[in-house]
């Protein structure tokens, strides 16, 4: 299947909601990569990405979120 889907969850820029959303996207929706658009949520989701070996593209100016991580790209 050559189709690409982009399921979306609204985390309302809250770290706890971002973690819940990321876990749902991975476990239920079967995503192969994550994207975040806020430093407030990127740090929390980065921990999940590393633990689960899921690439995370974090669109944020907070470069330290990706420092020392293998699956986080800032």
């Amino acid at each position: 299947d050559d189709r690409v889907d982009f399921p979306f969850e609204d985390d309302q820029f809250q770290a706890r909601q971002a973690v819940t959303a990321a876990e749902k996207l991975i476990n239920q929706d079967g995503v192969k990569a994550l994207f975040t658009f806020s430093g407030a949520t990127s740090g929390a989701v980065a921990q999940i990405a590393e633990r689960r070996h899921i690439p995370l593209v974090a669109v944020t100016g907070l470069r330290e979120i990706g420092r020392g991580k293998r699956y986080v790209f800032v």
Side-chain angles (χ1 to χ4, degrees):
D1 188 353
D2 293 336
R3 191 179 80 203
V4 176
D5 292 323
F6 291 95
F8 174 83
E9 292 290 324
D10 183 5
D11 61 24
Q12 299 180 20
F13 298 105
Q14 302 294 318
R16 181 174 288 161
Q17 287 180 247
V19 167
T20 300
E23 291 289 357
K24 180 201 174 281
L25 288 166
I26 294 166
N27 295 329
Q28 292 180 22
D29 298 328
V31 300
K32 304 295 184 207
L34 297 166
F35 295 83
T36 58
F37 299 95
S38 163
T41 58
S42 295
V45 175
Q47 304 307 316
I48 295 167
E50 284 296 303
R51 186 174 69 248
R52 301 290 296 275
H53 300 180
I54 301 282
L56 166 64
V57 176
V59 181
T60 177
L62 302 174
R63 296 220 177 269
E64 62 271 10
I65 289 170
R67 196 168 292 134
K69 293 185 176 65
R70 185 174 180 184
Y71 293 91
V72 179
F73 307 92
V74 181

